[in-house]
Amino acid sequence: MKDGFTAEVAPWHVSAFRLGAEEPGAAELAGQVRELRARILFDRGRRPDFRRADGGYADDQELDFGAWHFVARREAGGRPLGYVRLSTPKTGELFQSRAYLGQMRYEEVLREHGLGVAETFEHSRLVVEHRARKLGLGVYMNAFAIAAARSLGAKAMIGTSGTADGQDRFHERFGFRAVAGTRRYVERYTEDVVIMLYRAAQQGGEYASLIERLEEEFPTATVPARRAGLKESREVDRRRGTGTQRPAPAGVDAERGGARDGTWRRPVIYDLRRERDREGFDALRDSGEVREVLDTIEEQLKELVTAREPVLRSSAEAVERAVAEQLGGTDPYEYGSWVWYPWSGRLVHLLPREEFRLVRTDRNRGRIERPAQRRLLGRRVGIIGLSVGSSAALTFAMEGIGGAFKLADFDTLSVSNLNRLRAGVHHLGVNKCVIAARQMLEIDPWLDIEVYPGGLTEATMEEFFHGGAGPIDLLVEECDTPYVKIAARERARAAGIPVVMDANDRGLLDVERFDLEPERPLLHGLLGSTTASDLADLTFQQSVDAILTMVDRERISPELAAAIPQIGSTLSSWPQLASGVALGGALTAEAARRILLGLPRPSGRFYTDLELLTSADRSTLA
C-alpha cells in the first residue's frame, strides 16, 4: 500500500499550531515560518523571487496570521524538513486562490460545486526539502493537512497547485480535482498554476487510510505557537551526532574523545553511502580505538522482513528473497548505519533508524500499536534524580515512551548505589545521568538526550523545562531534595506539565495532572501553602520531616517507619531495594504512557503494595 510505506517506514514528527496575530512573539514566529518556506521554495535558484538581496529568504503573506501551520521533522527538536499551511474561512478574504481567481470568479467556482465560502478551507504552501521527498514526507504532509481540515469541520478544501513537476497529479492521488479553465502561467513560480478542489465527504484517494489515521492523531500533534520551536540550532545537530566529523582517538580531540573518563559524549553514527562518513569511519577503524565490532545486519534484515510480513517465517527461501529485495543490490556492509560508542569502544552495525525502531518495538504491537508508538516517540520527557529515576529512564527507553529526554542529577555513582542501580563497578565515579544516558543510547542510539550533570538548580530550571532542544511534555520527579521537589512542581504547574513520581515504598505512584488541572495544589495539598523558597537550606532532620510529609507519614510501610529514627545513627541513609526501584520504573512508565497518549490516568496517589497484593488471602487458586 502507498500509505503503508509512509506510515510504517518513514514516520515523522509533525507539530501543528495556529498563529494568532496578537500572540506574544507572533511576528518573530511568522518570520521563521516564512524563511523556512522560502528557503525550500527557492530550490537552489529555480524560484529566485524567494531570495532577498541580502541573501536571506522571504515569503511574506498576511495569510499566515490566523492559519494553521504544520512543520515536519525526522524527530522532535530536529531540523524542519517540510511544511504546509491550512487556512480557515475566518481569513477567507486573504486566500491565495481568491486572489488568483478574483473575488467574483472565486465565489462562482464554489457555487458551481455546491459550496459556500463559510465551509471551504484553503490548503497552501506544501513545501518539502529534496532529501525528504523520496522518504514520503510530501505524502505525509499533504495527508496531515487534509486530515486536519476534516477534523476542524471543513466540507471542502481549495488551493493553487503548480504543474511543472506534476504537483497537480500528486494532489489528484488524494482526491483533489483541477477546476476547468483556471490554469495559467505565474511568473513568480516560473510555471503554470491551476486551482484544485477537494470535498471532505469523498474518500482520500490512494491515501484514504492514512488520512483517516491522521485525522485521529491531529489533536495530539497540536502545540501552542510559542512552543513551535522553528529555530534551527547547531547545538541540536551537534547533540544528535550525525557522524559527519572525522573522529580522532579518545583523549586527543576534546570534542569527540575522552568518553571513557565519564564525560558526556553521544555515539557517532556513520552512513557509509556518504563519502565524508566513510572517511571518518575508515579513520576510526585505523585509530586503534575500536575494541569490539558487532555486525549482525543479516539477522536484523531477516527480523525486519518478517516483522513486516510474519507469514514469511514459514519459508526460509521467502525470507531470503525478501531480504534481497530489501537490499536492492546494496552491499550489506554498507546498508544502514554503523554506530560508534566511544565510552565502550564498540562499533555496532544497525538497520537504518526507522527500520531499527520498527523491529525493536515490534513486540510492543498488540499492546502499543504503531500509530501510538510514533506519537510516543514525538514526546520529550524530563527526569530528575537518576538513582531511583534510572529505572524509569531505562524502562521508558525500552518501551519507546519518548524519543527525547532531559536527565538531571548532580551525584556520581558510589559503591552503596550498586544495590539498586543497573550499573557496574566500571561506572564508579561517573555521573548518574551520564550512566543512564549511555545505557539508553545503547538501546536506541537515535534518542535525543540532554544531560544536566550539575542537577536541577535555579540557574538550569528554565532551560530544563523550556529550553535546550525543546520543552518537556512530562516530568518524572525522583530526587530526594525537598527544595527541588517543590520548585520543579511549581515550574511544571505554571507550564501545564504533568508530573509522575514513585516513592520506592509500598509501590506508591503519585500523579499530578497539571496539564488538566492548572490550579491543583502541589503534592495534593499535603504541604499546605509551603513554597520552594520555604524549603531552602534545611537541616538533615528538617529534610527528612519534609519528605515524610510529602509521602504521607501515616501510610509508609512499617519497615520504613522503623528505619527512619535510625538514619544518621545506625543507618547511613534511606533504605531502598532494587525490587522497589524496578517496580517504580514500571509504575511511572505505565502512567506516563497513558498520559502521553491521552488515555485515562487521573491525578492521585496509588499503591501497588506487593506484600498486600501477594498475601495468602489474595491467591486466586482454590
Side-chain angles (χ1 to χ4, degrees):
M1 291 175 57
K2 288 183 170 63
D3 53 355
F5 172 85
T6 304
E8 290 190 2
V9 178
W12 301 91
H13 178 80
V14 176
S15 300
F17 60 94
R18 185 178 176 277
L19 183 59
E22 304 304 320
E23 292 188 38
E28 180 183 0
L29 182 55
Q32 294 170 14
V33 166
R34 292 163 176 173
E35 184 173 1
L36 166 65
R37 284 195 315 241
R39 174 173 56 79
I40 300 174
L41 283 166
F42 179 67
D43 197 10
R44 304 168 187 170
R46 176 182 166 189
R47 301 184 185 94
D49 283 357
F50 290 95
R51 190 76 175 263
R52 297 195 307 258
D54 63 2
Y57 302 95
D59 182 32
D60 296 347
Q61 292 190 322
E62 191 63 27
L63 187 58
D64 290 325
F65 295 106
W68 281 91
H69 303 268
F70 302 82
V71 178
R73 302 171 171 86
R74 260 319 212 171
E75 57 190 359
R79 185 172 187 261
L81 298 175
Y83 167 90
V84 67
R85 180 177 63 198
L86 179 67
S87 302
T88 70
K90 289 183 179 180
T91 56
E93 292 297 323
L94 300 173
F95 280 6
Q96 285 186 160
S97 47
R98 184 189 292 266
Y100 177 87
L101 291 171
Q103 175 82 10
M104 293 181 60
R105 178 59 178 145
Y106 173 80
E107 295 182 4
E108 183 179 284
V109 165
L110 294 184
R111 283 196 303 272
E112 288 174 356
H113 291 83
L115 298 168
V117 295
E119 58 196 18
T120 303
F121 287 48
E122 184 178 68
H123 159 289
S124 58
R125 285 300 192 262
L126 173 63
V127 293
V128 177
E129 286 201 354
H130 277 281
R131 62 185 171 130
R133 292 175 192 173
K134 293 181 180 179
L135 298 175
L137 180 55
V139 169
Y140 198 83
M141 293 301 288
N142 215 36
F144 217 116
I146 296 170
R150 290 163 61 111
S151 179
L152 293 169
K155 288 189 177 180
M157 295 173 70
I158 196 169
T160 57
S161 172
T163 59
D165 294 329
Q167 299 100 310
D168 51 338
R169 296 191 299 276
F170 169 80
H171 289 301
E172 286 176 355
R173 292 161 59 191
F174 292 84
F176 278 88
R177 294 293 178 264
V179 177
T182 62
R183 179 168 176 160
R184 70 170 185 267
Y185 183 78
V186 176
E187 183 69 31
R188 191 180 192 201
Y189 299 107
T190 67
E191 63 182 306
D192 281 0
V193 170
V194 67
I195 291 289
M196 303 200 75
L197 194 64
Y198 169 88
R199 290 177 174 274
Q202 67 193 39
Q203 291 296 317
E206 298 175 14
Y207 301 101
S209 61
L210 176 60
I211 292 170
E212 184 177 343
R213 175 172 65 76
L214 292 178
E215 188 173 352
E216 296 177 2
E217 293 185 17
F218 164 63
T220 68
T222 59
V223 297
R226 61 182 172 81
R227 294 179 60 185
L230 285 183
K231 286 185 178 178
E232 296 176 16
S233 168
R234 292 190 179 188
E235 178 66 14
V236 171
D237 290 338
R238 185 185 68 77
R239 274 194 303 267
R240 190 156 286 109
T242 59
T244 57
Q245 298 186 23
R246 186 182 181 91
V252 175
D253 185 316
E255 177 62 22
R256 311 304 293 178
R260 292 185 203 165
D261 64 4
T263 55
W264 167 236
R265 296 289 183 270
R266 290 193 57 85
V268 183
I269 301 174
Y270 298 95
D271 181 345
L272 299 189
R273 295 171 301 175
R274 301 188 188 121
E275 182 178 353
R276 196 170 180 188
D277 278 19
R278 178 178 283 280
E279 291 176 358
F281 181 80
D282 291 341
L284 175 65
R285 295 298 301 268
D286 294 339
S287 70
E289 286 298 303
V290 179
R291 299 170 58 191
E292 185 177 5
V293 178
L294 300 168
D295 186 356
T296 61
I297 196 66
E298 293 182 0
E299 291 304 314
Q300 294 175 47
L301 283 162
K302 291 176 183 177
E303 280 196 278
L304 172 64
V305 299
T306 54
R308 286 179 178 154
E309 297 183 74
V311 295
L312 294 177
R313 294 178 185 273
S314 60
S315 169
E317 292 80 6
V319 170
E320 293 296 336
R321 285 195 300 271
V323 167
E325 183 177 340
Q326 180 68 31
L327 286 169
T330 301
D331 184 339
Y333 187 79
E334 297 185 349
Y335 188 85
S337 301
W338 284 88
V339 183
W340 161 241
Y341 291 100
W343 54 85
S344 66
R346 292 190 179 96
L347 182 61
V348 187
H349 194 180
L350 297 176
L351 294 168
R353 184 184 66 176
E354 309 309 334
E355 295 173 6
F356 171 82
R357 285 178 166 171
L358 183 148
V359 175
R360 197 188 74 75
T361 58
D362 186 56
R363 294 289 291 274
N364 284 3
R365 292 193 301 151
R367 302 296 298 274
I368 310 174
E369 301 303 337
R370 284 183 179 144
Q373 291 177 22
R374 287 188 290 272
R375 288 162 60 187
L376 289 171
L377 277 174
R379 301 298 184 175
R380 189 179 305 276
V381 177
I383 303 178
I384 307 172
L386 273 298
S387 184
V388 173
S390 66
S391 178
L394 293 177
T395 304
F396 281 38
M398 285 187 281
E399 200 161 296
I401 302 172
F405 295 86
K406 295 183 179 183
L407 311 179
D409 197 314
F410 64 87
D411 201 11
T412 58
L413 184 76
S414 62
V415 174
S416 63
N417 297 142
L418 293 175
N419 78 317
R420 62 193 184 280
L421 265 73
R422 182 182 173 273
V425 293
H426 58 293
H427 290 120
L428 291 172
V430 179
N431 181 273
K432 292 176 181 177
C433 58
V434 170
I435 294 172
R438 289 177 176 180
Q439 293 172 338
M440 295 164 75
L441 289 164
E442 287 171 348
I443 294 167
D444 182 345
W446 289 280
L447 292 176
D448 181 5
I449 301 180
E450 298 168 82
V451 299
Y452 293 76
L456 203 61
T457 66
E458 191 59 39
T460 59
M461 196 82 71
E462 177 66 22
E463 181 181 348
F464 183 87
F465 277 91
H466 304 292
I472 61 173
D473 299 297
L474 179 137
L475 175 66
V476 180
E477 187 279 296
E478 297 291 356
C479 72
D480 52 12
T481 304
Y483 167 79
V484 175
K485 294 176 86 70
I486 299 303
R489 282 172 171 78
E490 289 173 346
R491 291 275 183 158
R493 182 172 64 180
I497 297 169
V499 180
V500 297
M501 175 187 74
D502 157 63
N504 197 233
D505 183 60
R506 295 189 60 211
L508 188 161
L509 172 69
D510 191 271
V511 180
E512 295 168 280
R513 296 299 303 271
F514 297 128
D515 54 325
L516 303 179
E517 304 164 89
E519 303 301 323
R520 186 175 184 83
L522 305 183
L523 282 169
H524 320 291
L526 289 171
L527 291 181
S529 59
T530 301
T531 65
S533 59
D534 298 327
L535 300 175
D537 302 319
L538 298 182
T539 66
F540 176 77
Q541 188 55 51
Q542 288 172 331
S543 294
V544 171
D545 290 340
I547 290 175
L548 284 175
T549 302
M550 294 178 189
V551 300
D552 191 348
R553 69 181 73 225
E554 300 302 320
R555 291 181 179 273
I556 63 176
S557 66
E559 294 83 0
L560 182 58
I564 288 171
Q566 302 177 54
I567 297 175
S569 56
T570 62
L571 293 177
S572 60
S573 188
W574 299 87
Q576 294 176 315
L577 295 176
S579 55
V581 173
L583 176 62
L587 294 174
T588 53
E590 192 276 344
R593 172 167 47 82
R594 296 182 68 84
I595 290 170
L596 294 175
L597 290 177
L599 301 173
R601 175 46 67 208
S603 296
R605 184 158 282 185
F606 313 92
Y607 289 88
T608 307
D609 191 329
L610 295 182
E611 183 174 354
L612 292 177
L613 294 175
T614 59
S615 59
D617 61 330
R618 295 295 186 94
S619 174
T620 59
L621 300 176

